[in-house]
Amino acid sequence: MNNPHNQHDPISEPSDFIVGVPRGDHPITAEHLANKAIALISGALSEIVDVVGVHQDMAPRSACLVLELTGMLADETIKWMHQWPSVNAAEEQ
């Protein structure tokens, strides 16, 4: 498991977004599932923004609507991340 606060971790490995584990879950599997989901969502959102950048001149209103959707998805992802059990909460259980 990566520690995003450890500066000695190799740069080639991405930092984990989620470091807590819900009670009763296998630690490595739980962190993998959550971090993989966040990475996939982040990548998809980035690709959508790139596509909008290419096509926004031909369809500016649609581009704005798609960017609005992208913003909502990003906000919900961040909200979901903040609701994930923290390391301290997991230790207290």
Side-chain angles (χ1 to χ4, degrees):
M1 293 178 276
N2 295 333
N3 180 350
H5 305 290
N6 185 349
Q7 295 178 353
H8 301 293
D9 281 346
I11 295 175
S12 60
E13 292 185 31
S15 295
D16 287 345
F17 301 104
I18 299 294
V19 293
V21 177
R23 185 177 186 182
D25 282 3
H26 185 275
I28 294 171
T29 305
E31 289 183 18
H32 172 72
L33 284 170
N35 287 310
K36 185 66 173 186
I38 293 167
L40 289 170
I41 291 167
S42 297
L45 294 175
S46 179
E47 286 184 37
I48 291 168
V49 170
D50 290 346
V51 168
V52 167
V54 170
H55 299 290
Q56 67 185 356
D57 291 340
M58 300 284 288
R61 290 184 181 160
S62 294
C64 286
L65 292 171
V66 170
L67 287 177
E68 183 179 316
L69 172 63
T70 304
M72 291 185 321
L73 293 170
D75 289 344
E76 285 301 311
T77 301
I78 292 167
K79 181 178 163 184
W80 180 85
M81 289 170 62
H82 287 292
Q83 292 173 348
W84 190 267
S86 69
V87 172
N88 294 335
E91 290 172 354
E92 292 171 3
Q93 294 180 354

